[in-house]
Every structure is written in structure tokens, then in C-alpha cells.
Amino acid sequence: MLFTGTHIHKLDRKGRVSVPKRFRAALEMEEFAGIYLYQSHKECALEGCSHSHMERIAASLDELDMFSDEADDLADTILGSSHMLPYDGEGRIILPAELIEFARIEDQVAFVGRGRTFRLWNPDIFKPLQEASRTRTLNRGATLKLKPMNELPKGARPGTPNEEDAS
Amino acid sequence: MLFTGTHIHKLDRKGRVSVPKRFRAALEMEEFAGIYLYQSHKECALEGCSHSHMERIAASLDELDMFSDEADDLADTILGSSHMLPYDGEGRIILPAELIEFARIEDQVAFVGRGRTFRLWNPDIFKPLQEASRTRTLNRGATLKLKPMNELPKGARPGTPNEEDAS
DNA sequence: TGGGAAATGATGGGGGTCAATGGGATTTGA
DNA sequence: TCAAATCCCATTGACCCCCATCATTTCCCA
């Protein structure tokens, strides 16, 4: 259930692109056989996630005051602009023209894992950004505090079942 | 059971418009084969939802003080002005003239998913508003606090059956 | 350890199917 | 009796299913 690594695939003449096998494997327990994509707020990229992650977003928005301006804006920019894209028999999706244009994608697509979610880029745009981000991280001497094992969700630990309610 | 994405359909000369297949699919477990629409009280748009969501609104109104002005107003604007619209054989509804006029809809209708509910817009009005909403989100640096996985309804989690009564 | 065979994932393309739409015919209800 | 709603069928074009090919990795066995 983790998206990792960068996978570059071809966008064919019909606007189709194969979802990396690794990503599909991470999604195989999902009730919907496909992915969700929406335009990133800050990057020239597309945000990708699973159906259950989208349910999580919807449920979280539900909790904000139903009529708050902030919830409204988020609903429009995430839920309203997201595309539900089913696989074909070969595990490909059709990239909508609107999203191709937004991310300035040409003939190749980079799938970049980000843990629970992932991003789609034009590889030529992503590569220099990745370099920059790498040097920033080095210069800053950034370290990541890891959560202790026993605070992780059960499914994320080896030897534990995936269900919280398993008896 | 999630409304996502923006779907633009034509309003024909008879005042009919196709409900997007994806939305119909999200509603297929409903006892009523159709949708509910009512005028939004803050946007130039129509609010849409399922029969069961309308029940939820009614139940929430019940909890407000029965004779408060607020409950009165909400009851009038939501329940009083809502239209119950059944599909025809092809999955279309007839948009009442009153609602067409209110939302200033011309020859096209945008169905915009908002999770548990959706909105209907004149696409020419919605588009610039969505852009504005995206910019506000970016400037505000808004992030959404996601609910923990284990507080979600079971069907929304991968690997869990869709029914609560699974034994 | 190397080479070849087999399996698997990625890519390309044809054609059938179904959702969206338009319009006529029939029924319903005021 | 008229208008409006529902049913029915026709058209069309986008999407999805299927298969064929190619590339890569894995596996097996000499």
C-alpha cells in the first residue's frame, strides 16, 4: 500500500498510458479498479490517489462546516476537478486532454511515488526540479524523525493483519 | 457512493439533461431512481443529492429547535424548494423551468461532484469561479486534515466488504 | 555461470458496445 | 381537449474489450 519510485511510461496516440505494475499492485485491494487524478495546487503536475484516499478526502470535508468558504473551495478544487480513471484490460488509463494540457505532458509520463499518493509529471519538467529539491535537502541537512513502529497502523508492520478489527 | 469530477451535458429542447453515468452508478443502491435538486442559498447553482441524503438533511433539521427562525428558514429553502426528479428510460431528468432560471442555465449543464453531494451550474459561470477558488486555496496555503483511516465507513477502506453486516 | 526458454509487463491498433443525444409516438392528468 | 410527461427507437461518436507484438525480466538447466 505504498507508492514508491519513479516510473516513466509512454503516452500513446490514443491518449493512453500504462499505470506502473507496482502502483497497480499497491491498489489491488481497492473496490474501484483505476485511479483518481486532479491538478496539483502548487506544481505543474497531477496528483494521483486511490478511491479510498478520495473517500477519505470527502469524509474529511464533510466534517468541516458544511457551508464554510474553505470547505467550498477545497471541494471545488479537489472533488470538482478530479477525474476517475478506470483501467482498461491492460492496466492503462486514458489521460483526459485537460490534464495533459495542464501538466504540459508530451509523449512521456513520469509516475512519481509519494507514499500514500503519487504525482504525474512531464519527465523533462520533473527531472531538474528533483535535482533542485535534492540539493536543498542536502544543504539544509534535513533529517526526518521516524515514528516509532508501534504507532503505525497495523497493516504497515510486518506480520500483522491488514484489518484493525481482526479478532 | 462518491460524486467526483465535472461533467458537462446538453440541455435539450424539451428541458431534459442526461445525469452522468458515474453519478447514476453512485446512486444505484438508492430506493428512488432519480435525484433531488434545490436552489443553493449562496451560489448561482443548484444543489443535488440522493434520496437518502435528503433524509439526512431532514433528520438534521429535526434536531434544531423546532420553532427557531433558523430551522424555519432552512426548512423552507431546502425541503420546501426541493424537486424530486425521476430518470426517464435513458437516465435523463427534466430540469424544471424555475431551476433553469435560477441557475441561469442555457444550453449546457455542468454536474460538479462534491463528495456526498453535487452541484449543477451554467458552465460559463462555474469555470471562472473554480479558477478563483483554486487561487484562494493556493494563497491560503490551505491543507486538509485527513481523518484517520479507522474512522472511515468500512466500505471506504480497501480490503473491507461493502456491507456493515458482513459476518 | 551463461544461454536460452518462458513468463510478464508495456505498447499499438481494430472494431464492437454503450452512453449521450434527438425526436416521434403514446399516455397521463388537469 | 390540450399540454405535459413518459415511453420508445434511431443515430453517433467516444470509450472499452480484445488480440497481436515487442521488450524485459525471470527461471531453468546444462
Side-chain angles (χ1 to χ4, degrees):
Chain A
M1 254 319 281
L2 273 191
F3 303 110
T4 58
T6 295
H7 313 262
I8 295 180
H9 285 173
K10 247 189 117 175
L11 185 70
D12 71 17
R13 259 187 293 170
K14 288 175 158 185
R16 296 177 301 188
V17 62
S18 290
V19 176
K21 185 69 208 322
R22 291 277 164 73
F23 284 22
R24 264 158 30 216
L27 290 170
E28 66 186 358
M29 306 301 288
E30 293 284 328
E31 64 169 84
F32 165 62
I35 62 174
Y36 284 79
L37 291 179
Y38 57 93
Q39 302 171 7
S40 165
H41 298 151
K42 5 165 67 157
E43 311 283 358
C44 175
L46 307 174
E47 302 281 344
C49 69
S50 67
H51 178 78
S52 55
H53 194 267
M54 196 55 85
E55 287 267 6
R56 224 176 133 189
I57 292 177
S60 307
L61 278 177
D62 243 9
E63 284 213 339
L64 295 181
D65 179 3
M66 206 174 148
F67 303 120
S68 86
D69 293 337
E70 198 173 337
D72 259 9
D73 286 349
L74 282 171
D76 282 343
T77 53
I78 298 181
L79 295 173
S81 79
S82 72
H83 292 251
M84 184 185 190
L85 306 172
Y87 306 139
D88 67 9
E90 278 67 45
R92 294 173 289 198
I93 55 164
I94 298 181
L95 262 195
E98 182 195 356
L99 297 184
I100 292 177
E101 191 180 345
F102 175 82
R104 289 191 240 149
I105 286 168
E106 285 149 25
D107 59 339
Q108 287 193 320
V109 184
F111 288 75
V112 182
R114 294 175 62 81
R116 309 287 173 212
T117 63
F118 53 91
R119 282 187 181 155
L120 266 57
W121 291 85
N122 175 335
D124 299 333
I125 299 178
F126 174 65
K127 200 121 187 260
L129 289 180
Q130 187 182 34
E131 288 303 324
S133 136
R134 166 182 297 279
T135 49
R136 269 200 310 276
T137 306
L138 285 178
N139 291 339
R140 185 190 294 140
T143 56
L144 175 64
K145 278 212 181 62
L146 290 177
K147 284 184 84 165
M149 263 306 204
N150 56 14
E151 286 178 21
L152 291 184
K154 289 215 177 178
R157 301 205 310 266
T160 54
N162 235 326
E163 292 302 320
E164 287 83 350
D165 51 6
S167 56
Chain B
M1 249 326 278
L2 203 56
F3 302 109
T4 60
T6 294
H7 312 263
I8 296 179
H9 285 174
K10 264 190 102 170
L11 185 71
D12 71 17
R13 262 186 289 170
K14 289 177 164 183
R16 296 176 301 188
V17 63
S18 290
V19 176
K21 183 72 209 316
R22 290 272 160 73
F23 284 21
R24 275 175 359 234
L27 291 170
E28 66 186 359
M29 307 302 286
E30 293 284 326
E31 57 177 291
F32 165 61
I35 62 174
Y36 283 79
L37 291 179
Y38 57 92
Q39 301 173 5
S40 164
H41 62 267
K42 52 190 294 198
E43 312 282 359
C44 174
L46 308 173
E47 301 280 344
C49 68
S50 67
H51 178 77
S52 54
H53 194 269
M54 194 55 86
E55 296 260 10
R56 195 177 150 199
I57 291 177
S60 308
L61 281 178
D62 269 354
E63 293 202 348
L64 293 181
D65 180 351
M66 223 174 135
F67 301 113
S68 79
D69 291 342
E70 194 183 353
D72 259 11
D73 290 349
L74 281 175
D76 282 345
T77 54
I78 296 181
L79 297 175
S81 80
S82 76
H83 295 251
M84 184 182 185
L85 305 171
Y87 305 139
D88 69 8
E90 277 68 45
R92 294 173 287 200
I93 55 165
I94 297 182
L95 262 194
E98 180 195 358
L99 297 183
I100 293 176
E101 192 180 344
F102 175 82
R104 289 190 240 150
I105 285 168
E106 283 150 26
D107 59 339
Q108 286 192 320
V109 184
F111 288 75
V112 181
R114 295 173 64 81
R116 312 289 168 214
T117 63
F118 54 91
R119 281 186 183 158
L120 266 57
W121 291 84
N122 175 335
D124 298 332
I125 299 177
F126 175 65
K127 198 121 187 256
L129 289 181
Q130 189 183 34
E131 281 307 317
S133 146
R134 163 179 297 281
T135 331
R136 273 197 305 276
T137 304
L138 175 56
N139 290 339
R140 180 191 291 146
T143 53
L144 179 62
K145 282 214 179 60
L146 290 177
K147 287 183 78 167
M149 270 301 207
N150 55 15
E151 286 177 22
L152 293 185
K154 287 215 179 178
R157 301 205 312 268
T160 55
N162 239 325
E163 296 299 327
E164 283 82 353
D165 54 5
S167 56

PDB file of all heavy atoms in Angstrom, chain B residues 28-40:
ATOM      1  N   GLU B  28     -27.011   3.927  -7.557  1.00  0.00           N
ATOM      2  CA  GLU B  28     -27.843   2.806  -7.990  1.00  0.00           C
ATOM      3  C   GLU B  28     -28.401   1.978  -6.851  1.00  0.00           C
ATOM      4  O   GLU B  28     -29.336   1.209  -7.057  1.00  0.00           O
ATOM      5  CB  GLU B  28     -27.080   1.916  -8.986  1.00  0.00           C
ATOM      6  CG  GLU B  28     -25.896   1.196  -8.402  1.00  0.00           C
ATOM      7  CD  GLU B  28     -25.129   0.458  -9.508  1.00  0.00           C
ATOM      8  OE1 GLU B  28     -25.562   0.522 -10.684  1.00  0.00           O
ATOM      9  OE2 GLU B  28     -24.128  -0.173  -9.198  1.00  0.00           O
ATOM     10  N   MET B  29     -27.847   2.148  -5.629  1.00  0.00           N
ATOM     11  CA  MET B  29     -28.409   1.423  -4.495  1.00  0.00           C
ATOM     12  C   MET B  29     -29.608   2.148  -3.898  1.00  0.00           C
ATOM     13  O   MET B  29     -30.252   1.636  -2.986  1.00  0.00           O
ATOM     14  CB  MET B  29     -27.346   1.244  -3.406  1.00  0.00           C
ATOM     15  CG  MET B  29     -26.037   0.610  -3.858  1.00  0.00           C
ATOM     16  SD  MET B  29     -26.306  -1.000  -4.579  1.00  0.00           S
ATOM     17  CE  MET B  29     -26.647  -1.951  -3.078  1.00  0.00           C
ATOM     18  N   GLU B  30     -29.899   3.328  -4.384  1.00  0.00           N
ATOM     19  CA  GLU B  30     -30.977   4.129  -3.803  1.00  0.00           C
ATOM     20  C   GLU B  30     -32.342   3.530  -4.141  1.00  0.00           C
ATOM     21  O   GLU B  30     -32.528   2.951  -5.202  1.00  0.00           O
ATOM     22  CB  GLU B  30     -30.913   5.560  -4.350  1.00  0.00           C
ATOM     23  CG  GLU B  30     -29.692   6.336  -3.909  1.00  0.00           C
ATOM     24  CD  GLU B  30     -29.807   6.809  -2.473  1.00  0.00           C
ATOM     25  OE1 GLU B  30     -30.943   7.123  -2.053  1.00  0.00           O
ATOM     26  OE2 GLU B  30     -28.776   6.874  -1.787  1.00  0.00           O
ATOM     27  N   GLU B  31     -33.285   3.745  -3.230  1.00  0.00           N
ATOM     28  CA  GLU B  31     -34.626   3.225  -3.480  1.00  0.00           C
ATOM     29  C   GLU B  31     -35.339   4.057  -4.547  1.00  0.00           C
ATOM     30  O   GLU B  31     -36.206   3.550  -5.260  1.00  0.00           O
ATOM     31  CB  GLU B  31     -35.442   3.222  -2.186  1.00  0.00           C
ATOM     32  CG  GLU B  31     -35.548   4.598  -1.528  1.00  0.00           C
ATOM     33  CD  GLU B  31     -36.431   4.564  -0.278  1.00  0.00           C
ATOM     34  OE1 GLU B  31     -37.638   4.375  -0.431  1.00  0.00           O
ATOM     35  OE2 GLU B  31     -35.892   4.719   0.843  1.00  0.00           O
ATOM     36  N   PHE B  32     -34.977   5.340  -4.655  1.00  0.00           N
ATOM     37  CA  PHE B  32     -35.620   6.210  -5.637  1.00  0.00           C
ATOM     38  C   PHE B  32     -34.697   6.400  -6.834  1.00  0.00           C
ATOM     39  O   PHE B  32     -33.559   6.836  -6.688  1.00  0.00           O
ATOM     40  CB  PHE B  32     -35.973   7.551  -4.988  1.00  0.00           C
ATOM     41  CG  PHE B  32     -36.313   8.643  -5.974  1.00  0.00           C
ATOM     42  CD1 PHE B  32     -37.404   8.499  -6.845  1.00  0.00           C
ATOM     43  CD2 PHE B  32     -35.567   9.801  -6.034  1.00  0.00           C
ATOM     44  CE1 PHE B  32     -37.714   9.494  -7.750  1.00  0.00           C
ATOM     45  CE2 PHE B  32     -35.873  10.816  -6.932  1.00  0.00           C
ATOM     46  CZ  PHE B  32     -36.954  10.665  -7.795  1.00  0.00           C
ATOM     47  N   ALA B  33     -35.183   6.050  -8.031  1.00  0.00           N
ATOM     48  CA  ALA B  33     -34.360   6.155  -9.245  1.00  0.00           C
ATOM     49  C   ALA B  33     -34.450   7.561  -9.803  1.00  0.00           C
ATOM     50  O   ALA B  33     -35.255   7.849 -10.693  1.00  0.00           O
ATOM     51  CB  ALA B  33     -34.799   5.129 -10.287  1.00  0.00           C
ATOM     52  N   GLY B  34     -33.639   8.440  -9.240  1.00  0.00           N
ATOM     53  CA  GLY B  34     -33.643   9.832  -9.668  1.00  0.00           C
ATOM     54  C   GLY B  34     -32.820  10.657  -8.710  1.00  0.00           C
ATOM     55  O   GLY B  34     -32.098  10.107  -7.871  1.00  0.00           O
ATOM     56  N   ILE B  35     -32.886  11.981  -8.829  1.00  0.00           N
ATOM     57  CA  ILE B  35     -32.106  12.845  -7.945  1.00  0.00           C
ATOM     58  C   ILE B  35     -32.990  13.946  -7.358  1.00  0.00           C
ATOM     59  O   ILE B  35     -34.105  14.189  -7.832  1.00  0.00           O
ATOM     60  CB  ILE B  35     -30.923  13.507  -8.690  1.00  0.00           C
ATOM     61  CG1 ILE B  35     -31.434  14.405  -9.822  1.00  0.00           C
ATOM     62  CG2 ILE B  35     -29.987  12.453  -9.241  1.00  0.00           C
ATOM     63  CD1 ILE B  35     -30.346  15.199 -10.522  1.00  0.00           C
ATOM     64  N   TYR B  36     -32.485  14.589  -6.318  1.00  0.00           N
ATOM     65  CA  TYR B  36     -33.134  15.760  -5.727  1.00  0.00           C
ATOM     66  C   TYR B  36     -32.327  17.001  -6.073  1.00  0.00           C
ATOM     67  O   TYR B  36     -31.096  16.968  -6.026  1.00  0.00           O
ATOM     68  CB  TYR B  36     -33.203  15.629  -4.213  1.00  0.00           C
ATOM     69  CG  TYR B  36     -34.269  14.696  -3.711  1.00  0.00           C
ATOM     70  CD1 TYR B  36     -34.076  13.315  -3.733  1.00  0.00           C
ATOM     71  CD2 TYR B  36     -35.472  15.175  -3.207  1.00  0.00           C
ATOM     72  CE1 TYR B  36     -35.055  12.442  -3.274  1.00  0.00           C
ATOM     73  CE2 TYR B  36     -36.451  14.321  -2.743  1.00  0.00           C
ATOM     74  CZ  TYR B  36     -36.235  12.952  -2.779  1.00  0.00           C
ATOM     75  OH  TYR B  36     -37.202  12.100  -2.322  1.00  0.00           O
ATOM     76  N   LEU B  37     -33.013  18.082  -6.411  1.00  0.00           N
ATOM     77  CA  LEU B  37     -32.343  19.349  -6.671  1.00  0.00           C
ATOM     78  C   LEU B  37     -33.039  20.466  -5.909  1.00  0.00           C
ATOM     79  O   LEU B  37     -34.262  20.469  -5.794  1.00  0.00           O
ATOM     80  CB  LEU B  37     -32.376  19.685  -8.170  1.00  0.00           C
ATOM     81  CG  LEU B  37     -31.548  18.834  -9.124  1.00  0.00           C
ATOM     82  CD1 LEU B  37     -31.741  19.321 -10.551  1.00  0.00           C
ATOM     83  CD2 LEU B  37     -30.076  18.871  -8.741  1.00  0.00           C
ATOM     84  N   TYR B  38     -32.225  21.401  -5.385  1.00  0.00           N
ATOM     85  CA  TYR B  38     -32.799  22.604  -4.795  1.00  0.00           C
ATOM     86  C   TYR B  38     -31.841  23.768  -4.984  1.00  0.00           C
ATOM     87  O   TYR B  38     -30.660  23.574  -5.254  1.00  0.00           O
ATOM     88  CB  TYR B  38     -33.136  22.408  -3.313  1.00  0.00           C
ATOM     89  CG  TYR B  38     -31.985  21.991  -2.440  1.00  0.00           C
ATOM     90  CD1 TYR B  38     -31.211  22.942  -1.776  1.00  0.00           C
ATOM     91  CD2 TYR B  38     -31.673  20.644  -2.274  1.00  0.00           C
ATOM     92  CE1 TYR B  38     -30.159  22.555  -0.960  1.00  0.00           C
ATOM     93  CE2 TYR B  38     -30.619  20.248  -1.468  1.00  0.00           C
ATOM     94  CZ  TYR B  38     -29.868  21.213  -0.812  1.00  0.00           C
ATOM     95  OH  TYR B  38     -28.818  20.832  -0.017  1.00  0.00           O
ATOM     96  N   GLN B  39     -32.369  24.983  -4.836  1.00  0.00           N
ATOM     97  CA  GLN B  39     -31.563  26.156  -5.095  1.00  0.00           C
ATOM     98  C   GLN B  39     -30.519  26.341  -4.004  1.00  0.00           C
ATOM     99  O   GLN B  39     -30.830  26.257  -2.825  1.00  0.00           O
ATOM    100  CB  GLN B  39     -32.473  27.395  -5.158  1.00  0.00           C
ATOM    101  CG  GLN B  39     -33.531  27.264  -6.234  1.00  0.00           C
ATOM    102  CD  GLN B  39     -34.549  28.398  -6.200  1.00  0.00           C
ATOM    103  OE1 GLN B  39     -34.409  29.336  -5.418  1.00  0.00           O
ATOM    104  NE2 GLN B  39     -35.564  28.301  -7.046  1.00  0.00           N
ATOM    105  N   SER B  40     -29.289  26.598  -4.431  1.00  0.00           N
ATOM    106  CA  SER B  40     -28.240  26.890  -3.464  1.00  0.00           C
ATOM    107  C   SER B  40     -28.513  28.257  -2.849  1.00  0.00           C
ATOM    108  O   SER B  40     -28.988  29.159  -3.520  1.00  0.00           O
ATOM    109  CB  SER B  40     -26.888  26.898  -4.171  1.00  0.00           C
ATOM    110  OG  SER B  40     -25.921  27.533  -3.359  1.00  0.00           O
TER     111      SER B  40
END
